[in-house]
PDB file of all heavy atoms in Angstrom:
ATOM      1  N   ARG A   3       0.823  -1.210   0.000  1.00  0.00           N
ATOM      2  CA  ARG A   3       0.000   0.000   0.000  1.00  0.00           C
ATOM      3  C   ARG A   3       0.856   1.257   0.000  1.00  0.00           C
ATOM      4  O   ARG A   3       0.534   2.247  -0.663  1.00  0.00           O
ATOM      5  CB  ARG A   3      -0.943  -0.019   1.213  1.00  0.00           C
ATOM      6  CG  ARG A   3      -1.996   1.067   1.196  1.00  0.00           C
ATOM      7  CD  ARG A   3      -2.827   1.059  -0.077  1.00  0.00           C
ATOM      8  NE  ARG A   3      -3.277  -0.291  -0.405  1.00  0.00           N
ATOM      9  CZ  ARG A   3      -3.484  -0.710  -1.634  1.00  0.00           C
ATOM     10  NH1 ARG A   3      -3.287   0.093  -2.664  1.00  0.00           N
ATOM     11  NH2 ARG A   3      -3.884  -1.945  -1.871  1.00  0.00           N
ATOM     12  N   THR A   4       1.960   1.224   0.733  1.00  0.00           N
ATOM     13  CA  THR A   4       2.850   2.385   0.776  1.00  0.00           C
ATOM     14  C   THR A   4       3.437   2.669  -0.599  1.00  0.00           C
ATOM     15  O   THR A   4       3.480   3.824  -1.046  1.00  0.00           O
ATOM     16  CB  THR A   4       3.990   2.144   1.785  1.00  0.00           C
ATOM     17  OG1 THR A   4       3.440   1.907   3.081  1.00  0.00           O
ATOM     18  CG2 THR A   4       4.911   3.356   1.849  1.00  0.00           C
ATOM     19  N   ILE A   5       3.870   1.618  -1.277  1.00  0.00           N
ATOM     20  CA  ILE A   5       4.451   1.787  -2.605  1.00  0.00           C
ATOM     21  C   ILE A   5       3.408   2.279  -3.597  1.00  0.00           C
ATOM     22  O   ILE A   5       3.683   3.158  -4.420  1.00  0.00           O
ATOM     23  CB  ILE A   5       5.081   0.459  -3.074  1.00  0.00           C
ATOM     24  CG1 ILE A   5       6.414   0.236  -2.356  1.00  0.00           C
ATOM     25  CG2 ILE A   5       5.270   0.436  -4.591  1.00  0.00           C
ATOM     26  CD1 ILE A   5       7.076  -1.079  -2.664  1.00  0.00           C
ATOM     27  N   ALA A   6       2.199   1.734  -3.521  1.00  0.00           N
ATOM     28  CA  ALA A   6       1.147   2.169  -4.436  1.00  0.00           C
ATOM     29  C   ALA A   6       0.856   3.657  -4.266  1.00  0.00           C
ATOM     30  O   ALA A   6       0.795   4.415  -5.246  1.00  0.00           O
ATOM     31  CB  ALA A   6      -0.123   1.354  -4.201  1.00  0.00           C
ATOM     32  N   ILE A   7       0.688   4.094  -3.026  1.00  0.00           N
ATOM     33  CA  ILE A   7       0.386   5.508  -2.772  1.00  0.00           C
ATOM     34  C   ILE A   7       1.556   6.391  -3.164  1.00  0.00           C
ATOM     35  O   ILE A   7       1.375   7.447  -3.786  1.00  0.00           O
ATOM     36  CB  ILE A   7       0.020   5.717  -1.288  1.00  0.00           C
ATOM     37  CG1 ILE A   7      -1.257   4.941  -0.938  1.00  0.00           C
ATOM     38  CG2 ILE A   7      -0.165   7.201  -0.983  1.00  0.00           C
ATOM     39  CD1 ILE A   7      -1.589   4.940   0.550  1.00  0.00           C
ATOM     40  N   SER A   8       2.771   5.962  -2.825  1.00  0.00           N
ATOM     41  CA  SER A   8       3.943   6.794  -3.127  1.00  0.00           C
ATOM     42  C   SER A   8       4.181   6.922  -4.626  1.00  0.00           C
ATOM     43  O   SER A   8       4.692   7.940  -5.095  1.00  0.00           O
ATOM     44  CB  SER A   8       5.190   6.209  -2.451  1.00  0.00           C
ATOM     45  OG  SER A   8       5.517   4.927  -2.975  1.00  0.00           O
ATOM     46  N   SER A   9       3.792   5.906  -5.389  1.00  0.00           N
ATOM     47  CA  SER A   9       3.998   5.977  -6.841  1.00  0.00           C
ATOM     48  C   SER A   9       3.110   7.026  -7.486  1.00  0.00           C
ATOM     49  O   SER A   9       3.411   7.518  -8.579  1.00  0.00           O
ATOM     50  CB  SER A   9       3.722   4.605  -7.476  1.00  0.00           C
ATOM     51  OG  SER A   9       2.329   4.313  -7.475  1.00  0.00           O
ATOM     52  N   GLY A  10       2.005   7.389  -6.804  1.00  0.00           N
ATOM     53  CA  GLY A  10       1.071   8.345  -7.373  1.00  0.00           C
ATOM     54  C   GLY A  10       1.294   9.763  -6.920  1.00  0.00           C
ATOM     55  O   GLY A  10       0.339  10.542  -6.861  1.00  0.00           O
ATOM     56  N   ALA A  11       2.518  10.117  -6.586  1.00  0.00           N
ATOM     57  CA  ALA A  11       2.814  11.479  -6.130  1.00  0.00           C
ATOM     58  C   ALA A  11       3.746  12.192  -7.112  1.00  0.00           C
ATOM     59  O   ALA A  11       3.305  12.943  -7.976  1.00  0.00           O
ATOM     60  CB  ALA A  11       3.414  11.436  -4.729  1.00  0.00           C
ATOM     61  N   LEU A  12       5.051  11.934  -6.992  1.00  0.00           N
ATOM     62  CA  LEU A  12       6.019  12.618  -7.864  1.00  0.00           C
ATOM     63  C   LEU A  12       5.901  12.184  -9.325  1.00  0.00           C
ATOM     64  O   LEU A  12       6.496  12.808 -10.205  1.00  0.00           O
ATOM     65  CB  LEU A  12       7.447  12.377  -7.365  1.00  0.00           C
ATOM     66  CG  LEU A  12       7.793  12.963  -5.997  1.00  0.00           C
ATOM     67  CD1 LEU A  12       9.265  12.730  -5.680  1.00  0.00           C
ATOM     68  CD2 LEU A  12       7.471  14.453  -5.929  1.00  0.00           C
ATOM     69  N   ASP A  13       5.143  11.117  -9.572  1.00  0.00           N
ATOM     70  CA  ASP A  13       4.939  10.719 -10.969  1.00  0.00           C
ATOM     71  C   ASP A  13       4.211  11.805 -11.749  1.00  0.00           C
ATOM     72  O   ASP A  13       4.344  11.900 -12.969  1.00  0.00           O
ATOM     73  CB  ASP A  13       4.121   9.427 -11.034  1.00  0.00           C
ATOM     74  CG  ASP A  13       2.659   9.667 -10.674  1.00  0.00           C
ATOM     75  OD1 ASP A  13       2.411  10.185  -9.571  1.00  0.00           O
ATOM     76  OD2 ASP A  13       1.788   9.347 -11.486  1.00  0.00           O
ATOM     77  N   SER A  14       3.425  12.635 -11.047  1.00  0.00           N
ATOM     78  CA  SER A  14       2.592  13.633 -11.723  1.00  0.00           C
ATOM     79  C   SER A  14       3.301  14.958 -11.924  1.00  0.00           C
ATOM     80  O   SER A  14       2.670  16.016 -11.967  1.00  0.00           O
ATOM     81  CB  SER A  14       1.297  13.850 -10.929  1.00  0.00           C
ATOM     82  OG  SER A  14       0.546  12.658 -10.866  1.00  0.00           O
ATOM     83  N   LEU A  15       4.618  14.914 -12.055  1.00  0.00           N
ATOM     84  CA  LEU A  15       5.362  16.106 -12.450  1.00  0.00           C
ATOM     85  C   LEU A  15       4.968  16.463 -13.892  1.00  0.00           C
ATOM     86  O   LEU A  15       4.303  15.672 -14.571  1.00  0.00           O
ATOM     87  CB  LEU A  15       6.863  15.840 -12.327  1.00  0.00           C
ATOM     88  CG  LEU A  15       7.377  15.647 -10.883  1.00  0.00           C
ATOM     89  CD1 LEU A  15       8.857  15.253 -10.890  1.00  0.00           C
ATOM     90  CD2 LEU A  15       7.152  16.891 -10.043  1.00  0.00           C
ATOM     91  N   PRO A  16       5.354  17.643 -14.378  1.00  0.00           N
ATOM     92  CA  PRO A  16       4.825  18.123 -15.669  1.00  0.00           C
ATOM     93  C   PRO A  16       5.017  17.197 -16.861  1.00  0.00           C
ATOM     94  O   PRO A  16       4.269  17.277 -17.834  1.00  0.00           O
ATOM     95  CB  PRO A  16       5.585  19.444 -15.877  1.00  0.00           C
ATOM     96  CG  PRO A  16       5.901  19.918 -14.501  1.00  0.00           C
ATOM     97  CD  PRO A  16       6.180  18.674 -13.709  1.00  0.00           C
ATOM     98  N   HIS A  17       6.014  16.296 -16.816  1.00  0.00           N
ATOM     99  CA  HIS A  17       6.287  15.455 -17.982  1.00  0.00           C
ATOM    100  C   HIS A  17       5.479  14.161 -17.989  1.00  0.00           C
ATOM    101  O   HIS A  17       5.598  13.363 -18.925  1.00  0.00           O
ATOM    102  CB  HIS A  17       7.782  15.115 -18.049  1.00  0.00           C
ATOM    103  CG  HIS A  17       8.299  14.363 -16.852  1.00  0.00           C
ATOM    104  ND1 HIS A  17       8.342  14.913 -15.592  1.00  0.00           N
ATOM    105  CD2 HIS A  17       8.798  13.107 -16.720  1.00  0.00           C
ATOM    106  CE1 HIS A  17       8.857  14.044 -14.747  1.00  0.00           C
ATOM    107  NE2 HIS A  17       9.135  12.933 -15.404  1.00  0.00           N
ATOM    108  N   ASN A  18       4.646  13.934 -16.983  1.00  0.00           N
ATOM    109  CA  ASN A  18       3.826  12.723 -16.920  1.00  0.00           C
ATOM    110  C   ASN A  18       2.878  12.641 -18.113  1.00  0.00           C
ATOM    111  O   ASN A  18       2.281  13.634 -18.523  1.00  0.00           O
ATOM    112  CB  ASN A  18       3.034  12.731 -15.601  1.00  0.00           C
ATOM    113  CG  ASN A  18       1.998  11.625 -15.534  1.00  0.00           C
ATOM    114  OD1 ASN A  18       0.859  11.846 -15.912  1.00  0.00           O
ATOM    115  ND2 ASN A  18       2.392  10.470 -15.085  1.00  0.00           N
ATOM    116  N   GLY A  19       2.722  11.435 -18.664  1.00  0.00           N
ATOM    117  CA  GLY A  19       1.901  11.259 -19.861  1.00  0.00           C
ATOM    118  C   GLY A  19       0.454  11.649 -19.657  1.00  0.00           C
ATOM    119  O   GLY A  19      -0.159  12.303 -20.513  1.00  0.00           O
ATOM    120  N   TYR A  20      -0.130  11.270 -18.516  1.00  0.00           N
ATOM    121  CA  TYR A  20      -1.513  11.638 -18.236  1.00  0.00           C
ATOM    122  C   TYR A  20      -1.658  13.152 -18.092  1.00  0.00           C
ATOM    123  O   TYR A  20      -2.627  13.741 -18.577  1.00  0.00           O
ATOM    124  CB  TYR A  20      -1.987  10.947 -16.957  1.00  0.00           C
ATOM    125  CG  TYR A  20      -3.341  11.424 -16.478  1.00  0.00           C
ATOM    126  CD1 TYR A  20      -4.517  10.880 -16.994  1.00  0.00           C
ATOM    127  CD2 TYR A  20      -3.443  12.440 -15.517  1.00  0.00           C
ATOM    128  CE1 TYR A  20      -5.761  11.327 -16.567  1.00  0.00           C
ATOM    129  CE2 TYR A  20      -4.686  12.888 -15.089  1.00  0.00           C
ATOM    130  CZ  TYR A  20      -5.842  12.331 -15.613  1.00  0.00           C
ATOM    131  OH  TYR A  20      -7.063  12.787 -15.199  1.00  0.00           O
ATOM    132  N   VAL A  21      -0.700  13.771 -17.412  1.00  0.00           N
ATOM    133  CA  VAL A  21      -0.741  15.229 -17.210  1.00  0.00           C
ATOM    134  C   VAL A  21      -0.706  15.949 -18.547  1.00  0.00           C
ATOM    135  O   VAL A  21      -1.509  16.860 -18.810  1.00  0.00           O
ATOM    136  CB  VAL A  21       0.433  15.686 -16.314  1.00  0.00           C
ATOM    137  CG1 VAL A  21       0.528  17.214 -16.291  1.00  0.00           C
ATOM    138  CG2 VAL A  21       0.272  15.135 -14.904  1.00  0.00           C
ATOM    139  N   VAL A  22       0.225  15.552 -19.411  1.00  0.00           N
ATOM    140  CA  VAL A  22       0.357  16.194 -20.726  1.00  0.00           C
ATOM    141  C   VAL A  22      -0.910  15.988 -21.553  1.00  0.00           C
ATOM    142  O   VAL A  22      -1.442  16.922 -22.155  1.00  0.00           O
ATOM    143  CB  VAL A  22       1.578  15.640 -21.486  1.00  0.00           C
ATOM    144  CG1 VAL A  22       1.623  16.180 -22.909  1.00  0.00           C
ATOM    145  CG2 VAL A  22       2.862  15.995 -20.748  1.00  0.00           C
ATOM    146  N   THR A  23      -1.401  14.746 -21.589  1.00  0.00           N
ATOM    147  CA  THR A  23      -2.583  14.435 -22.393  1.00  0.00           C
ATOM    148  C   THR A  23      -3.804  15.198 -21.892  1.00  0.00           C
ATOM    149  O   THR A  23      -4.578  15.751 -22.687  1.00  0.00           O
ATOM    150  CB  THR A  23      -2.867  12.925 -22.372  1.00  0.00           C
ATOM    151  OG1 THR A  23      -1.733  12.222 -22.890  1.00  0.00           O
ATOM    152  CG2 THR A  23      -4.087  12.585 -23.204  1.00  0.00           C
ATOM    153  N   THR A  24      -4.000  15.227 -20.575  1.00  0.00           N
ATOM    154  CA  THR A  24      -5.185  15.875 -20.020  1.00  0.00           C
ATOM    155  C   THR A  24      -5.149  17.389 -20.194  1.00  0.00           C
ATOM    156  O   THR A  24      -6.130  17.998 -20.631  1.00  0.00           O
ATOM    157  CB  THR A  24      -5.344  15.525 -18.524  1.00  0.00           C
ATOM    158  OG1 THR A  24      -5.434  14.104 -18.387  1.00  0.00           O
ATOM    159  CG2 THR A  24      -6.590  16.163 -17.946  1.00  0.00           C
ATOM    160  N   ILE A  25      -4.018  18.004 -19.850  1.00  0.00           N
ATOM    161  CA  ILE A  25      -3.927  19.467 -19.934  1.00  0.00           C
ATOM    162  C   ILE A  25      -3.973  19.951 -21.373  1.00  0.00           C
ATOM    163  O   ILE A  25      -4.780  20.825 -21.732  1.00  0.00           O
ATOM    164  CB  ILE A  25      -2.649  19.977 -19.243  1.00  0.00           C
ATOM    165  CG1 ILE A  25      -2.751  19.788 -17.722  1.00  0.00           C
ATOM    166  CG2 ILE A  25      -2.412  21.460 -19.565  1.00  0.00           C
ATOM    167  CD1 ILE A  25      -1.524  20.243 -16.961  1.00  0.00           C
ATOM    168  N   GLN A  26      -3.118  19.379 -22.218  1.00  0.00           N
ATOM    169  CA  GLN A  26      -2.974  19.894 -23.581  1.00  0.00           C
ATOM    170  C   GLN A  26      -3.903  19.199 -24.571  1.00  0.00           C
ATOM    171  O   GLN A  26      -4.608  19.871 -25.339  1.00  0.00           O
ATOM    172  CB  GLN A  26      -1.519  19.745 -24.034  1.00  0.00           C
ATOM    173  CG  GLN A  26      -0.533  20.522 -23.177  1.00  0.00           C
ATOM    174  CD  GLN A  26       0.906  20.366 -23.667  1.00  0.00           C
ATOM    175  OE1 GLN A  26       1.169  19.885 -24.765  1.00  0.00           O
ATOM    176  NE2 GLN A  26       1.860  20.767 -22.837  1.00  0.00           N
ATOM    177  N   GLY A  27      -3.909  17.855 -24.552  1.00  0.00           N
ATOM    178  CA  GLY A  27      -4.643  17.124 -25.571  1.00  0.00           C
ATOM    179  C   GLY A  27      -6.144  17.142 -25.391  1.00  0.00           C
ATOM    180  O   GLY A  27      -6.893  17.241 -26.369  1.00  0.00           O
ATOM    181  N   ILE A  28      -6.612  17.066 -24.153  1.00  0.00           N
ATOM    182  CA  ILE A  28      -8.049  16.988 -23.894  1.00  0.00           C
ATOM    183  C   ILE A  28      -8.650  18.350 -23.589  1.00  0.00           C
ATOM    184  O   ILE A  28      -9.653  18.747 -24.187  1.00  0.00           O
ATOM    185  CB  ILE A  28      -8.338  16.013 -22.736  1.00  0.00           C
ATOM    186  CG1 ILE A  28      -7.874  14.604 -23.102  1.00  0.00           C
ATOM    187  CG2 ILE A  28      -9.834  16.013 -22.394  1.00  0.00           C
ATOM    188  CD1 ILE A  28      -8.005  13.598 -21.971  1.00  0.00           C
ATOM    189  N   CYS A  29      -8.027  19.076 -22.658  1.00  0.00           N
ATOM    190  CA  CYS A  29      -8.605  20.345 -22.199  1.00  0.00           C
ATOM    191  C   CYS A  29      -8.137  21.555 -22.995  1.00  0.00           C
ATOM    192  O   CYS A  29      -8.717  22.637 -22.854  1.00  0.00           O
ATOM    193  CB  CYS A  29      -8.294  20.551 -20.717  1.00  0.00           C
ATOM    194  SG  CYS A  29      -8.982  19.250 -19.644  1.00  0.00           S
ATOM    195  N   GLY A  30      -7.094  21.409 -23.795  1.00  0.00           N
ATOM    196  CA  GLY A  30      -6.622  22.521 -24.606  1.00  0.00           C
ATOM    197  C   GLY A  30      -6.051  23.673 -23.800  1.00  0.00           C
ATOM    198  O   GLY A  30      -6.079  24.837 -24.225  1.00  0.00           O
ATOM    199  N   GLU A  31      -5.491  23.377 -22.639  1.00  0.00           N
ATOM    200  CA  GLU A  31      -4.884  24.409 -21.806  1.00  0.00           C
ATOM    201  C   GLU A  31      -3.361  24.348 -21.938  1.00  0.00           C
ATOM    202  O   GLU A  31      -2.811  23.449 -22.573  1.00  0.00           O
ATOM    203  CB  GLU A  31      -5.283  24.198 -20.337  1.00  0.00           C
ATOM    204  CG  GLU A  31      -6.776  24.196 -20.070  1.00  0.00           C
ATOM    205  CD  GLU A  31      -7.414  25.541 -20.335  1.00  0.00           C
ATOM    206  OE1 GLU A  31      -6.731  26.583 -20.213  1.00  0.00           O
ATOM    207  OE2 GLU A  31      -8.621  25.573 -20.650  1.00  0.00           O
ATOM    208  N   THR A  32      -2.688  25.295 -21.312  1.00  0.00           N
ATOM    209  CA  THR A  32      -1.230  25.273 -21.256  1.00  0.00           C
ATOM    210  C   THR A  32      -0.796  24.828 -19.864  1.00  0.00           C
ATOM    211  O   THR A  32      -1.543  24.984 -18.885  1.00  0.00           O
ATOM    212  CB  THR A  32      -0.643  26.667 -21.544  1.00  0.00           C
ATOM    213  OG1 THR A  32      -1.054  27.573 -20.498  1.00  0.00           O
ATOM    214  CG2 THR A  32      -1.128  27.185 -22.893  1.00  0.00           C
ATOM    215  N   HIS A  33       0.414  24.299 -19.789  1.00  0.00           N
ATOM    216  CA  HIS A  33       0.944  23.920 -18.476  1.00  0.00           C
ATOM    217  C   HIS A  33       1.031  25.138 -17.560  1.00  0.00           C
ATOM    218  O   HIS A  33       0.781  25.043 -16.358  1.00  0.00           O
ATOM    219  CB  HIS A  33       2.333  23.288 -18.644  1.00  0.00           C
ATOM    220  CG  HIS A  33       2.287  21.797 -18.805  1.00  0.00           C
ATOM    221  ND1 HIS A  33       1.646  21.187 -19.860  1.00  0.00           N
ATOM    222  CD2 HIS A  33       2.798  20.789 -18.042  1.00  0.00           C
ATOM    223  CE1 HIS A  33       1.768  19.861 -19.746  1.00  0.00           C
ATOM    224  NE2 HIS A  33       2.467  19.602 -18.649  1.00  0.00           N
ATOM    225  N   LYS A  34       1.389  26.282 -18.122  1.00  0.00           N
ATOM    226  CA  LYS A  34       1.531  27.496 -17.317  1.00  0.00           C
ATOM    227  C   LYS A  34       0.225  27.856 -16.623  1.00  0.00           C
ATOM    228  O   LYS A  34       0.210  28.271 -15.459  1.00  0.00           O
ATOM    229  CB  LYS A  34       1.994  28.656 -18.204  1.00  0.00           C
ATOM    230  CG  LYS A  34       2.214  29.960 -17.442  1.00  0.00           C
ATOM    231  CD  LYS A  34       2.707  31.051 -18.370  1.00  0.00           C
ATOM    232  CE  LYS A  34       2.929  32.357 -17.609  1.00  0.00           C
ATOM    233  NZ  LYS A  34       3.393  33.442 -18.520  1.00  0.00           N
ATOM    234  N   ALA A  35      -0.897  27.683 -17.323  1.00  0.00           N
ATOM    235  CA  ALA A  35      -2.195  28.059 -16.769  1.00  0.00           C
ATOM    236  C   ALA A  35      -2.774  26.990 -15.848  1.00  0.00           C
ATOM    237  O   ALA A  35      -3.359  27.308 -14.810  1.00  0.00           O
ATOM    238  CB  ALA A  35      -3.182  28.358 -17.901  1.00  0.00           C
ATOM    239  N   ALA A  36      -2.604  25.722 -16.223  1.00  0.00           N
ATOM    240  CA  ALA A  36      -3.351  24.661 -15.550  1.00  0.00           C
ATOM    241  C   ALA A  36      -2.540  23.809 -14.585  1.00  0.00           C
ATOM    242  O   ALA A  36      -3.121  23.184 -13.692  1.00  0.00           O
ATOM    243  CB  ALA A  36      -4.005  23.754 -16.592  1.00  0.00           C
ATOM    244  N   TYR A  37      -1.205  23.763 -14.748  1.00  0.00           N
ATOM    245  CA  TYR A  37      -0.464  22.777 -13.962  1.00  0.00           C
ATOM    246  C   TYR A  37      -0.383  23.125 -12.477  1.00  0.00           C
ATOM    247  O   TYR A  37      -0.284  22.226 -11.643  1.00  0.00           O
ATOM    248  CB  TYR A  37       0.949  22.564 -14.508  1.00  0.00           C
ATOM    249  CG  TYR A  37       1.671  21.476 -13.744  1.00  0.00           C
ATOM    250  CD1 TYR A  37       1.312  20.142 -13.903  1.00  0.00           C
ATOM    251  CD2 TYR A  37       2.636  21.788 -12.786  1.00  0.00           C
ATOM    252  CE1 TYR A  37       1.919  19.138 -13.160  1.00  0.00           C
ATOM    253  CE2 TYR A  37       3.253  20.789 -12.045  1.00  0.00           C
ATOM    254  CZ  TYR A  37       2.895  19.463 -12.230  1.00  0.00           C
ATOM    255  OH  TYR A  37       3.489  18.480 -11.481  1.00  0.00           O
ATOM    256  N   GLY A  38      -0.422  24.400 -12.105  1.00  0.00           N
ATOM    257  CA  GLY A  38      -0.321  24.759 -10.693  1.00  0.00           C
ATOM    258  C   GLY A  38      -1.357  24.047  -9.848  1.00  0.00           C
ATOM    259  O   GLY A  38      -1.030  23.395  -8.844  1.00  0.00           O
ATOM    260  N   ALA A  39      -2.618  24.158 -10.243  1.00  0.00           N
ATOM    261  CA  ALA A  39      -3.696  23.496  -9.498  1.00  0.00           C
ATOM    262  C   ALA A  39      -3.601  21.989  -9.629  1.00  0.00           C
ATOM    263  O   ALA A  39      -3.818  21.249  -8.649  1.00  0.00           O
ATOM    264  CB  ALA A  39      -5.048  23.988 -10.000  1.00  0.00           C
ATOM    265  N   MET A  40      -3.281  21.513 -10.832  1.00  0.00           N
ATOM    266  CA  MET A  40      -3.192  20.068 -11.041  1.00  0.00           C
ATOM    267  C   MET A  40      -2.052  19.470 -10.222  1.00  0.00           C
ATOM    268  O   MET A  40      -2.198  18.401  -9.615  1.00  0.00           O
ATOM    269  CB  MET A  40      -2.991  19.769 -12.523  1.00  0.00           C
ATOM    270  CG  MET A  40      -3.220  18.320 -12.897  1.00  0.00           C
ATOM    271  SD  MET A  40      -3.104  18.078 -14.677  1.00  0.00           S
ATOM    272  CE  MET A  40      -3.771  16.434 -14.853  1.00  0.00           C
ATOM    273  N   GLY A  41      -0.918  20.158 -10.187  1.00  0.00           N
ATOM    274  CA  GLY A  41       0.204  19.673  -9.398  1.00  0.00           C
ATOM    275  C   GLY A  41      -0.098  19.640  -7.915  1.00  0.00           C
ATOM    276  O   GLY A  41       0.346  18.737  -7.194  1.00  0.00           O
TER     277      GLY A  41
END
C-alpha cells in the first residue's frame, strides 16, 4: 500500500503522460495556466 500511494505522487510532475494528455490534448490548456492546481 505504501508503494502504491507513493507511486502516485512525484509521478505527476509536468512530464507525466496523463498530465500532458489531459492538460494539452483533452482540455486545450497550457501547463503554465493549468499545472499549478493540477500539481
Side-chain angles (χ1 to χ4, degrees):
R3 189 55 47 210
T4 301
I5 284 176
I7 297 172
S8 64
S9 72
L12 295 184
D13 73 304
S14 298
L15 293 174
H17 60 295
N18 171 268
Y20 172 84
V21 171
V22 173
T23 301
T24 302
I25 291 179
Q26 299 181 13
I28 298 175
C29 299
E31 302 294 332
T32 64
H33 269 62
K34 182 178 180 181
Y37 184 72
M40 194 175 192

